[in-house]
Amino acid sequence: MRSPRELRVSKDRSIMTVLFPQAEPVELTAEMLRVLSPSAEVQGHAPEQRVTVPGKRHVTISRIEPVGNYAVRIVFSDAHQSGIFTWAYLHELVAQKDAKWQGYLDELQEKGLSRDA
């Protein structure tokens, strides 16, 4: 998987724009990146252990740190920082943005949870 040409965080730190070669830039919200973090805390160690993370509507991106030449670690304003976003996973989030976000919203509704803290 090729690395993105650019990762840009908005001034208010609520959006990360991802630009892969030969593709249009795509905006991913900090909330989406946080609740779909590839960390074990969110994803578990098996699909049935995955956690639906509520209350992250106002989370922001504190910083982005390179991890080798294959990924980045995103540090969020709620101190979450254990997810390693590989280029392949970022590509998946970009390609399936709408479906993944709708799936998250559906999970919140099914479980009676809210995007607000």
Side-chain angles (χ1 to χ4, degrees):
M1 174 59 51
R2 293 185 61 187
S3 62
R5 282 199 355 228
E6 184 178 5
L7 298 176
R8 185 178 348 129
V9 179
S10 62
K11 286 188 191 313
D12 69 0
R13 313 212 57 84
S14 67
I15 295 172
M16 182 174 78
T17 302
V18 180
L19 177 58
F20 280 103
Q22 288 84 46
E24 294 295 314
V26 174
E27 293 183 343
L28 301 175
T29 65
E31 179 185 12
M32 179 180 173
L33 291 164
R34 173 60 180 90
V35 301
L36 297 177
S37 169
S39 68
E41 174 189 325
V42 174
Q43 298 300 326
H45 295 285
E48 64 276 2
Q49 294 177 340
R50 202 173 92 56
V51 174
T52 303
V53 180
K56 299 299 177 185
R57 184 189 303 263
H58 300 292
V59 75
T60 58
I61 297 168
S62 298
R63 67 183 182 276
I64 299 174
E65 304 170 345
V67 176
N69 57 4
Y70 69 95
V72 290
R73 176 189 324 276
I74 301 175
V75 180
F76 295 93
S77 58
D78 66 353
H80 179 76
Q81 61 180 341
S82 59
I84 304 293
F85 290 78
T86 63
W87 304 147
Y89 187 61
L90 274 178
H91 192 272
E92 179 182 324
L93 290 177
V94 164
Q96 300 175 26
K97 175 184 172 182
D98 294 338
K100 286 193 173 285
W101 183 246
Q102 189 57 56
Y104 170 70
L105 295 176
D106 292 346
E107 282 180 20
L108 284 178
Q109 186 172 14
E110 289 167 14
K111 296 178 179 181
L113 300 172
S114 171
R115 292 174 58 203
D116 296 306

